[in-house]
Amino acid sequence: MIYFLLKSAILLSVLYGCFFVLLSRETFHRFNRGVLLAILVSSLVLPAWQITLDRSRLVPEWVLHPDDTRITETEYDMAEAQARTPGSTEERHRPYMAPDNREYIGHASSKPFPWDAVLYTLYFLGIAWHLFSVLRQILAFRHDVRHGIKTRDKYDNTIIIRGGNFAPYSFFRYIVISAKDYEDSRHPILTHEQAHIRLGHSWDILLLETVCTIQWFNPLVWMLARDLRAVHEYEADKAVLDLGIDATRYQQLLVIKAFGTRLQSVTNSLSHGSLKDRIIMMKKTKSSGLLMLKGLFLPLFMGLAVVAFAKP
């Protein structure tokens, strides 16, 4: 398993590094989202998918016929078996160790330190810590659903209205919003969260949390998680502005909500992501579609990874 983890972490790090350098500042958010999801899937699938490469069988020089032609494979196997039979030259020249000596040496040697057991213990403790964090957030979401006032929007999403001061968020077809936000800023906030639901961002989060659980030790997986959530917010922000909501008032709302007291990584929150980056991205000129060609690094490195992980 340790080899799978190392290969998975290396592959994710290389692919994400290319994304960060080439694509992270471009405005085609849907394309960037697809690239990040492909990196996550590749880090799980490619290290476990091992192809086999054929390798020609070499015959030593000493097994040639007098006419200097190579013998058949069957003749080679027979010659190899005969060379290892008792009494052959190879057998007679093998060093001999008495059973008693072998037993004595085996007992005298000290056992090496169990580094593998220590590493596995630390790894599974990290997994337990991350799963506990995710479970705690899911329980907090469940508490909000059970103790809030429920209503439905025109898209049949369930809206949970609760007291308190917190940033609104969504998870699958649920939107949790404070009573004050529901009264004062219902339209832009619900439009933002409805975009998260319509675009299926919660499924992305489930995949992301799976990879984060497996690769919690890899700092680049947390950077990828930050960028994927930022892309989610860019997509939702664009959906709000495309409906004609005033950009200045919406950006003011983001500033206010940035100081919300609750952030949940397993949900889609209005205050997720760098506020400065989100406002810059709203004002940024749309990137040329030709720049998507930089995404060709993904299939190129995926193909190299398949060859690198191949078994001869």
Side-chain angles (χ1 to χ4, degrees), residues 3 41 56 85 87 110 124-125 129 154 157 169 222-223 238 255 263 301 305:
Y3 293 107
V41 174
S56 300
T85 56
S110 59
F124 285 111
L125 284 176
W129 167 78
K154 60 182 180 181
N157 300 315
Y169 66 90
W222 300 106
M223 295 176 63
K238 184 177 182 300
V255 173
L263 280 178
F301 278 97

Side-chain angles (χ1 to χ4, degrees), residues 1-12:
M1 185 178 71
I2 191 169
Y3 293 107
F4 168 81
L5 293 174
L6 289 176
K7 291 190 290 186
S8 178
I10 292 172
L11 179 61
L12 182 140

Side-chain angles (χ1 to χ4, degrees), residues 48-65:
W49 179 42
Q50 190 176 71
I51 64 173
T52 302
L53 299 179
D54 292 332
R55 183 172 61 184
S56 300
R57 188 177 186 182
L58 299 179
V59 182
E61 292 290 335
W62 57 270
V63 290
L64 297 177
H65 279 304

Side-chain angles (χ1 to χ4, degrees), residues 262-282:
R262 297 181 61 181
L263 280 178
Q264 298 190 346
S265 64
V266 298
T267 61
N268 303 290
S269 172
L270 181 72
S271 59
H272 268 159
S274 169
L275 179 60
K276 179 181 177 181
D277 289 342
R278 289 173 65 180
I279 293 177
I280 290 175
M281 194 62 70
M282 290 182 210

Side-chain angles (χ1 to χ4, degrees), residues 2-40:
I2 191 169
Y3 293 107
F4 168 81
L5 293 174
L6 289 176
K7 291 190 290 186
S8 178
I10 292 172
L11 179 61
L12 182 140
S13 300
V14 171
L15 294 178
Y16 171 72
C18 294
F19 168 84
F20 182 80
V21 173
L22 299 175
L23 295 171
S24 61
R25 307 311 300 176
E26 306 301 340
T27 62
F28 22 81
H29 310 312
R30 182 169 299 182
F31 179 77
N32 282 358
R33 176 190 174 196
V35 170
L36 290 173
L37 292 177
I39 293 173
L40 291 174

Side-chain angles (χ1 to χ4, degrees), residues 146-252:
R146 294 182 62 182
H147 295 86
I149 300 174
K150 297 181 179 64
T151 185
R152 290 187 179 275
D153 61 11
K154 60 182 180 181
Y155 302 108
D156 203 32
N157 300 315
T158 301
I159 302 175
I160 310 297
I161 306 171
R162 292 211 60 203
N165 180 26
F166 59 91
Y169 66 90
S170 61
F171 188 59
F172 287 101
R173 300 190 68 86
Y174 288 87
I175 300 174
V176 182
I177 185 174
S178 68
K180 185 176 185 306
D181 286 339
Y182 189 78
E183 292 296 329
D184 298 342
S185 309
R186 179 189 320 174
H187 183 49
I189 291 177
L190 291 183
T191 302
H192 180 95
E193 301 304 330
Q194 287 163 352
H196 281 305
I197 295 173
R198 184 177 69 256
L199 295 169
H201 289 164
S202 293
W203 292 106
D204 297 4
I205 296 298
L206 288 184
L207 174 61
L208 177 63
E209 292 297 334
T210 300
V211 179
C212 286
T213 301
I214 296 173
Q215 290 195 34
W216 62 265
F217 57 89
N218 183 4
L220 290 182
V221 77
W222 300 106
M223 295 176 63
L224 187 151
R226 177 202 62 195
D227 283 357
L228 180 59
R229 292 192 177 99
V231 169
H232 286 171
E233 298 309 317
Y234 298 155
E235 283 191 307
D237 291 339
K238 184 177 182 300
V240 172
L241 298 182
D242 287 346
L243 290 178
I245 294 176
D246 182 69
T248 301
R249 293 185 60 186
Y250 179 67
Q251 291 164 8
Q252 291 174 348

